[in-house]
């Protein structure tokens, strides 16, 4: 078994993406906290592993890998025989499309704006920027609607097997579902509504995101 260390803040969505894969693969790994809320991710020691100062970074037998797409692809191949990515080419491209939509369009509006403004800012004594939240609803709906179009949604995003696409979307839904905007954002996404009811009950989701 390789020696695996995940560096990151446990509440980070991307850290949770990588951990969901590791847990579903039944892999042994250590989680070493790098706290993005106190700037630990910008320490010289951490920047030596990840020059952009984001979490997660993973070390596998001394090899450092950063960027969640690279990490999940490597761990899927080496630990799980590729079972978290469909072999069929079109379905595989759907998985990459969903991941790219999450990285480029969903995460910025859903997490960096709605979730941070609704959940993090008030928890730190600040006031939600209502205008920013309002402006972020349409782009979030657009990203959700694009994923709704691409998903099979029964029971997982790409069909009968859980995949890296699920590991990316679950941690975002964990937070987005706690905001008052969630029902409106999800109103036109029946496949994702059903998917969410299934995946939120997975034991690995409870363990990593509970
Ligand atoms: N492209 C990166 C994104 C990772 C990312 O944005 N992580 C967030 C936490 S969920 C982070 O490190 N934020 C700290 C910061 O931006 O300073 C990946 O795929 O791993």
């Amino acid at each position: 078994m390789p020696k695996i260390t995940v560096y990151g803040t446990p509440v980070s969505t991307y850290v949770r993406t990588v951990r969901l894969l590791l847990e579903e693969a039944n892999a042994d790994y250590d989680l070493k906290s790098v706290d993005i809320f106190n700037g630990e991710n910008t320490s010289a020691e951490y920047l030596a592993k990840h020059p952009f100062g984001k979490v997660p970074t993973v070390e596998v037998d001394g090899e450092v890998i950063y960027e969640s797409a690279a990490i999940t692809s490597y761990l899927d191949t080496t630990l799980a025989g590729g079972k978290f990515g469909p072999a069929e080419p079109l379905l595989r491209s759907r998985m990459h499309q969903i991941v790219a939509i999450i990285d480029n369009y969903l995460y910025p509006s859903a997490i960096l704006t709605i979730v941070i403004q609704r959940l993090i800012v008030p928890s730190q004594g600040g006031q939600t920027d209502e205008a920013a939240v309002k402006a972020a609803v349409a782009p979030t709906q657009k990203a959700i609607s694009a994923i709704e179009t691409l998903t099979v949604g029964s029971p997982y995003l790409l069909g009968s097997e859980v995949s890296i696409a699920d590991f990316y979307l679950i941690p975002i839904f964990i937070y987005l579902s706690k905001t008052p905007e969630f029902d409106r954002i999800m109103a036109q996404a029946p496949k994702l509504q059903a998917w969410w009811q299934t995946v939120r009950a997975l034991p690995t989701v409870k363990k990593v995101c509970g």
Side-chain angles (χ1 to χ4, degrees), residues 43 115 136 197:
S43 69
V115 166
Q197 293 314 318

Side-chain angles (χ1 to χ4, degrees), residues 9 11-16 18 36-37 39 41-42 46 50 52-57 66-71 99 103 107 111-112 168:
T9 319
V11 295
S12 145
T13 61
Y14 284 103
V15 170
R16 288 177 167 185
V18 167
I36 57 174
F37 297 106
N41 54 315
T42 57
Y46 187 67
H50 192 320
F52 302 98
K54 303 282 183 186
V55 294
T57 295
Y66 60 83
E67 286 303 310
S68 301
I71 296 167
V99 168
D103 278 341
Y107 182 88
I111 298 294
L112 293 183
Y168 265 75

Side-chain angles (χ1 to χ4, degrees), residues 41-86:
N41 54 315
T42 57
S43 69
E45 191 191 345
Y46 187 67
L47 289 174
K49 294 187 197 304
H50 192 320
F52 302 98
K54 303 282 183 186
V55 294
T57 295
V58 167
E59 226 169 274
V60 185
D61 288 336
E63 288 292 340
V64 174
I65 311 174
Y66 60 83
E67 286 303 310
S68 301
I71 296 167
T72 49
S73 162
Y74 180 80
L75 295 177
D76 180 32
T77 307
T78 55
L79 300 176
K83 74 172 176 179
F84 299 127

Side-chain angles (χ1 to χ4, degrees), residues 12-184:
S12 145
T13 61
Y14 284 103
V15 170
R16 288 177 167 185
T17 293
V18 167
R19 289 188 62 209
L20 283 171
L21 187 152
L22 287 165
E23 294 290 342
E24 284 288 335
N26 248 319
D28 273 340
Y29 64 97
D30 292 324
L31 178 63
K32 286 211 174 140
S33 175
V34 174
D35 191 343
I36 57 174
F37 297 106
N38 69 9
E40 220 179 327
N41 54 315
T42 57
S43 69
E45 191 191 345
Y46 187 67
L47 289 174
K49 294 187 197 304
H50 192 320
F52 302 98
K54 303 282 183 186
V55 294
T57 295
V58 167
E59 226 169 274
V60 185
D61 288 336
E63 288 292 340
V64 174
I65 311 174
Y66 60 83
E67 286 303 310
S68 301
I71 296 167
T72 49
S73 162
Y74 180 80
L75 295 177
D76 180 32
T77 307
T78 55
L79 300 176
K83 74 172 176 179
F84 299 127
E88 197 277 314
L90 185 58
L91 218 46
R92 194 167 185 83
S93 89
R94 296 300 186 214
M95 179 177 81
H96 291 306
Q97 261 185 291
I98 291 172
V99 168
I101 290 167
I102 291 169
D103 278 341
N104 295 302
Y105 311 116
L106 184 62
Y107 182 88
S109 58
I111 298 294
L112 293 183
T113 304
I114 297 176
V115 166
I116 289 199
Q117 286 300 325
R118 280 279 180 240
L119 307 181
I120 309 286
V121 169
S123 78
Q124 294 175 339
Q127 202 160 1
T128 299
D129 181 341
E130 293 292 343
V133 171
K134 198 171 170 209
V137 169
T140 303
Q141 270 169 333
K142 188 171 176 175
I144 289 293
S145 148
I147 297 171
E148 172 78 8
T149 305
L150 296 172
T151 187
V152 176
S154 174
Y156 301 113
L157 290 179
L158 299 171
S160 58
E161 305 299 330
V162 71
S163 79
I164 290 169
D166 298 283
F167 302 147
Y168 265 75
L169 195 56
I170 290 165
I172 295 197
F173 269 50
I174 293 281
Y175 292 120
L176 196 58
S177 65
K178 294 183 167 66
T179 71
E181 282 68 32
F182 185 66
D183 287 348
R184 189 148 46 101

